Amino acid sequence: MRVLLTGASGFVGGRLGPALEKAGHDVRAMTRRPESYRGAGTPVRGDVHEHRTLAPALAGCDVAYYLVHSLDQPGFAGRDAEAARTFAREAEDAGLQRVVYLGGLGDDRDDLSEHLRSRRAVERLLGGTDVPVTALRAGIVVGHGGISWEMTRQLVEHLPAMVTPRWVHTRTQPIAIDDVVRYLVGVLDEPRTIGRSFEVGGPDVLEYLEMMRRVADIEGRRMLVVPVPLLSPALSARWLSLVTTVDTQTGRSLIDSMTNEVVVRDNSIRELVPFEPMDYDTAVLGALAERARERRTSRSR
């Protein structure tokens, strides 16, 4: 298939492009700066916030992966909603067979955070035309460079003693980036995934605090935790921006989401794209190993 990959240079897209090529697909990597793109696929100029750029990028494609968001910007929900509407219309005009979207876990019956509500809204808006959407909903994706994972790692490495708000006891179901990519590639070969939404996660359901403790154990660190139940989301976001590389805007959006339990309730994807996802500790070891390789490569240049 000829595939348009939005977000081609991002955390997920940068890994998905090579995997799609390995599976035999013809990849068009949509980027705002094709002249500087060095990843997999043929670079094409496109920006989901500039509708005139989308028709040329989508022309001749069979499927598009939608992997873009504006989480680090104020008013991201409205911005992402408008981009999803525009992309859906252009995808329909281009005659696409399908759009594949990576969204977020979370029970619609809960009081979802703005971040998770936005992810669900984008999913609905992408499906607002005759082009069917396959949506994969994930919680924390563990891999070098992923925002949620980097926040976890940096908190552990920078704070041997940590004050923690109530959200550290929220349950989540992390998944390795390699397994997310396997699902994203796998749905293209399974017609029964067309027009459906699926929940994806690894085998471990953990509290955020347990995730951090496991990272500390793997790295041979001691971690002292002091609960502070009244630490507000705004203060937590500022605290994060001081001790990690996560900016305050993104940190606030992520922390708001950490009050919502994000676990898999429906495992039907396991029947259609069958494999055994790796456990949390193995995913952590893989992320740390990739970071170490990148640092060695940077030092040797």
Side-chain angles (χ1 to χ4, degrees), residues 116-229:
L116 293 177
R117 290 198 307 272
S118 173
R119 291 297 178 94
R120 204 57 50 83
V122 167
E123 181 181 321
R124 289 194 298 269
L125 290 166
L126 287 174
T129 71
D130 290 335
V131 180
V133 172
T134 298
L136 300 182
R137 300 171 180 172
I140 285 185
V141 179
V142 181
H144 176 56
I147 295 174
S148 296
W149 158 248
E150 289 301 321
M151 184 181 75
T152 303
R153 179 188 65 78
Q154 291 176 38
L155 283 174
V156 170
E157 294 180 356
H158 298 171
L159 291 178
M162 188 183 310
V163 292
T164 57
R166 283 175 295 184
W167 54 256
V168 297
H169 294 295
T170 303
R171 297 196 313 159
T172 185
Q173 193 162 348
I175 182 171
I177 180 60
D178 288 352
D179 291 338
V180 171
V181 169
R182 289 181 74 177
Y183 280 127
L184 286 168
V185 175
V187 296
L188 284 193
D189 295 325
E190 176 48 76
R192 289 175 293 175
T193 63
I194 295 174
R196 295 177 60 185
S197 298
F198 299 94
E199 300 177 340
V200 298
D204 300 306
V205 176
L206 304 167
E207 293 183 353
Y208 288 105
L209 180 57
E210 178 62 19
M211 290 173 58
M212 289 188 284
R213 283 179 168 155
R214 288 200 185 187
V215 174
D217 288 344
I218 288 170
E219 293 193 322
R221 301 174 185 272
R222 297 185 64 184
M223 191 177 76
L224 174 64
V225 173
V226 181
V228 183

Side-chain angles (χ1 to χ4, degrees), residues 17-289:
L20 287 168
E21 285 195 326
K22 185 176 180 181
H25 300 292
D26 178 9
V27 177
R28 281 188 179 181
M30 194 176 92
T31 171
R32 286 173 291 181
R33 291 175 288 276
E35 67 281 355
S36 61
Y37 178 76
R38 298 293 181 269
T42 302
V44 295
R45 185 176 183 278
D47 185 337
V48 295
H49 301 291
E50 297 180 19
H51 75 274
R52 292 182 180 84
T53 68
L54 295 178
L58 286 161
C61 290
D62 304 301
V63 174
Y65 281 86
Y66 195 84
L67 304 176
V68 292
H69 62 78
S70 309
L71 189 60
D72 58 347
Q73 300 182 32
F76 68 87
R79 183 176 171 83
D80 284 351
E82 184 56 35
R85 288 189 194 95
T86 301
F87 193 86
R89 289 195 299 264
E90 296 293 338
E92 183 177 44
D93 289 345
L96 256 65
Q97 299 171 17
R98 178 167 28 162
V99 172
V100 181
Y101 172 62
L102 179 62
L105 278 173
D107 193 326
D108 287 328
R109 294 169 296 182
D110 290 345
D111 182 17
L112 294 179
S113 68
E114 184 180 22
H115 169 216
L116 293 177
R117 290 198 307 272
S118 173
R119 291 297 178 94
R120 204 57 50 83
V122 167
E123 181 181 321
R124 289 194 298 269
L125 290 166
L126 287 174
T129 71
D130 290 335
V131 180
V133 172
T134 298
L136 300 182
R137 300 171 180 172
I140 285 185
V141 179
V142 181
H144 176 56
I147 295 174
S148 296
W149 158 248
E150 289 301 321
M151 184 181 75
T152 303
R153 179 188 65 78
Q154 291 176 38
L155 283 174
V156 170
E157 294 180 356
H158 298 171
L159 291 178
M162 188 183 310
V163 292
T164 57
R166 283 175 295 184
W167 54 256
V168 297
H169 294 295
T170 303
R171 297 196 313 159
T172 185
Q173 193 162 348
I175 182 171
I177 180 60
D178 288 352
D179 291 338
V180 171
V181 169
R182 289 181 74 177
Y183 280 127
L184 286 168
V185 175
V187 296
L188 284 193
D189 295 325
E190 176 48 76
R192 289 175 293 175
T193 63
I194 295 174
R196 295 177 60 185
S197 298
F198 299 94
E199 300 177 340
V200 298
D204 300 306
V205 176
L206 304 167
E207 293 183 353
Y208 288 105
L209 180 57
E210 178 62 19
M211 290 173 58
M212 289 188 284
R213 283 179 168 155
R214 288 200 185 187
V215 174
D217 288 344
I218 288 170
E219 293 193 322
R221 301 174 185 272
R222 297 185 64 184
M223 191 177 76
L224 174 64
V225 173
V226 181
V228 183
L230 298 180
L231 193 62
S232 70
L235 286 175
S236 293
R238 292 180 182 177
W239 168 62
L240 278 177
S241 68
L242 289 174
V243 297
T244 74
T245 57
V246 177
D247 64 88
T248 303
Q249 172 66 41
T250 301
R252 176 60 188 268
S253 298
L254 292 175
I255 286 170
D256 285 345
S257 297
M258 287 174 176
T259 62
N260 294 120
E261 184 171 276
V262 284
V263 298
V264 173
R265 307 291 184 187
D266 179 0
N267 282 300
S268 57
I269 189 67
R270 299 287 303 277
E271 299 174 5
L272 302 177
V273 186
F275 66 90
E276 289 299 321
M278 67 181 73
D279 60 53
Y280 178 68
D281 289 2
T282 303
V284 168
L285 287 168
L288 294 173

